[in-house]
């Protein structure tokens, strides 16, 4: 193990402090087999991030932006319960400049935990979305709506879910949806041209073949890969099945931290380091698409 560490550290990555900041958690976290590949070293777009109320005190804005910088995260989708967390990030001009992190603000549908299971039929949620859209943030207009959850597929047909999809389509807002494959179809039935980031790409274990079927059917669907079951094997490397999916559909996936609890914030560096390991198992150009370009393109970042 030491030999591998030494050879990596004295190889072509030597001298780059930023890369070393990525490598240390990778080397600490990953089994030996995963250390034999060269981790992806380019920028990451964290397309699924929450800065919820519970995180604010233990993880102040300066700290979280510093953690992102250390992990090589150069842009984030920010969506927080309540939306104050997103605004706090958007308003921290000096820290943003220092960290170099770009903020893409999303409207969260949740004022509190009760809203998770009722938003799709609650007209006051729709009103909140309209108010937030009108107000915007210090980082500019909101660019999307979500993450929202639908624990039952048929709730995608709730009246507020339908209106929100149609609003997103009309206003060119990206949707971040934690839903199953049946709900993806229902959401697109409401708004066929909407752009949807599919949070976790089917956390309930939707088969990879079904994921591919939906990607082919809905050209504006992008899969976000946090918590995706079956993605990696015990060594932290890609499973053969998912490696093939990425090679066949390199433009259709992105990464996210999903910092839904403070435990995820505590593991932020490790989560990104884990991504860098399996991305290193792909051709560099494809790794860069999944880590950065696909999400950057969605929001018009260079
Ligand atoms: Zn989430």
């Amino acid at each position: 193990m030491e030999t591998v560490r030494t050879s990596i550290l004295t190889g072509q990555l030597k001298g780059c402090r930023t890369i070393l900041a990525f490598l240390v958690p990778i080397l600490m976290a990953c089994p030996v087999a995963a250390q034999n590949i060269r981790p992806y070293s380019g920028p990451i777009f964290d397309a699924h991030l929450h800065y919820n109320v519970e995180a604010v005190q233990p993880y102040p804005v300066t700290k979280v932006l510093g953690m992102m910088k250390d992990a090589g995260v150069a842009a984030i989708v920010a969506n927080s319960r309540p939306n104050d967390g997103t605004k706090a990030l958007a308003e921290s001009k000096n820290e943003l400049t220092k960290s170099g992190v770009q903020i893409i603000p999303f409207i969260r549908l949740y004022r509190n935990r009760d809203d998770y299971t009722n938003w799709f039929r609650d007209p006051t949620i729709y009103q909140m979305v309209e108010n937030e859209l009108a107000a915007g943030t210090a980082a500019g207009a909101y660019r999307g709506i979500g993450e929202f959850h639908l624990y039952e597929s048929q709730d995608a047909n709730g009246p507020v879910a339908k209106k929100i999809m149609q609003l997103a389509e009309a206003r060119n807002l990206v949707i971040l949806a934690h839903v199953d494959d049946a709900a993806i179809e229902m959401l697109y039935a409401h708004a066929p041209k909407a752009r949807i980031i599919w949070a976790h790409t089917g956390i309930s274990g939707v088969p990879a073949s079904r994921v591919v079927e939906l990607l082919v059917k809905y050209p504006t669907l992008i899969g976000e890969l946090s918590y995706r079951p079956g993605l990696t094997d015990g060594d932290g490397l890609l499973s053969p099945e998912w490696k093939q999916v990425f090679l066949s559909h390199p433009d259709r996936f992105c990464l996210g931290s999903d910092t839904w609890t403070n435990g995820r914030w505590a593991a932020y560096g490790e989560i990104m380091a884990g991504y860098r390991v399996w991305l290193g198992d792909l051709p560099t150009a494809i790794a860069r698409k999944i880590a950065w370009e696909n999400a950057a393109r969605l929001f018009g970042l260079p």
Side-chain angles (χ1 to χ4, degrees):
M1 191 186 292
E2 277 307 315
T3 310
V4 175
R5 287 185 188 192
T6 306
S7 67
I8 291 174
L9 293 174
T10 55
Q12 58 196 115
L13 303 179
K14 188 180 176 184
C16 178
R17 286 176 62 199
T18 313
I19 300 285
L20 285 179
F22 304 155
L23 270 177
V24 170
I26 291 171
L27 292 169
M28 287 170 66
C30 294
V32 174
Q35 292 183 22
N36 290 327
I37 67 156
R38 185 182 170 201
Y40 168 74
S41 60
I44 289 178
F45 194 127
D46 183 348
H48 181 168
L49 177 138
H50 311 291
Y51 188 46
N52 292 336
V53 63
E54 302 90 354
V56 171
Q57 194 266 329
Y59 295 96
V61 166
T62 310
K63 188 170 180 173
V64 296
L65 289 172
M67 287 158 62
M68 290 169 202
K69 184 182 181 191
D70 288 348
V73 171
I76 60 165
V77 159
N79 65 112
S80 313
R81 167 181 46 77
N83 287 303
D84 301 358
T86 294
K87 290 174 191 164
L89 288 169
E91 285 163 7
S92 59
K93 265 196 174 164
N94 290 342
E95 289 87 348
L96 285 173
T97 306
K98 226 185 289 173
S99 65
V101 176
Q102 300 183 76
I103 304 277
I104 305 295
F106 270 39
I107 302 174
R108 195 97 202 255
L109 301 184
Y110 309 146
R111 301 156 297 195
N112 51 58
R113 287 219 171 259
D114 291 341
D115 287 337
Y116 280 59
T117 50
N118 204 44
W119 68 270
F120 47 87
R121 57 181 158 226
D122 181 348
T124 67
I125 295 286
Y126 190 79
Q127 188 59 54
M128 177 187 74
V129 170
E130 286 198 316
N131 294 346
E132 287 290 340
L133 272 181
T137 77
Y142 283 104
R143 306 292 305 280
I145 298 174
E147 179 193 22
F148 62 64
H149 299 74
L150 292 170
Y151 298 111
E152 304 289 340
S153 316
Q154 67 268 19
D155 291 339
N157 284 332
V160 172
K162 183 175 180 179
K163 280 179 74 176
I164 280 178
M165 289 306 298
Q166 291 171 342
L167 177 71
E169 185 180 51
R171 302 281 293 267
N172 202 25
L173 299 164
V174 175
I175 290 289
L176 176 58
H178 174 134
V179 300
D180 65 14
D181 52 322
I184 286 286
E185 303 242 35
M186 292 176 189
L187 294 175
Y188 271 116
H190 300 322
K193 291 181 187 150
R195 297 179 297 163
I196 299 179
I197 299 174
W198 188 5
H200 321 297
T201 317
I203 200 168
S204 52
V206 175
S209 56
R210 172 69 170 147
V211 170
V212 168
E213 186 186 324
L214 291 173
L215 291 177
V216 170
K217 189 170 179 183
Y218 303 107
T220 57
L221 180 64
I222 299 271
E224 180 275 316
L225 295 163
S226 60
Y227 288 104
R228 168 61 225 190
L231 187 67
T232 55
D233 59 23
D235 289 328
L237 296 178
L238 282 176
S239 66
E241 184 179 41
W242 277 92
K243 188 171 184 176
Q244 193 50 50
V245 171
F246 294 148
L247 293 174
S248 310
H249 302 275
D251 298 322
R252 307 300 297 281
F253 294 94
C254 63
L255 304 178
S257 58
D258 192 12
T259 45
W260 67 289
T261 63
N262 287 347
R264 293 289 283 183
W265 278 115
Y268 194 85
E270 267 176 53
I271 292 166
M272 292 303 158
Y275 287 148
R276 289 182 182 281
V277 170
W278 64 251
L279 286 168
D281 200 16
L282 290 167
T284 306
I286 292 180
R288 190 178 170 92
K289 281 171 182 265
I290 294 170
W292 176 261
E293 288 173 15
N294 295 340
R297 187 177 62 246
L298 202 55
F299 300 105
L301 301 187

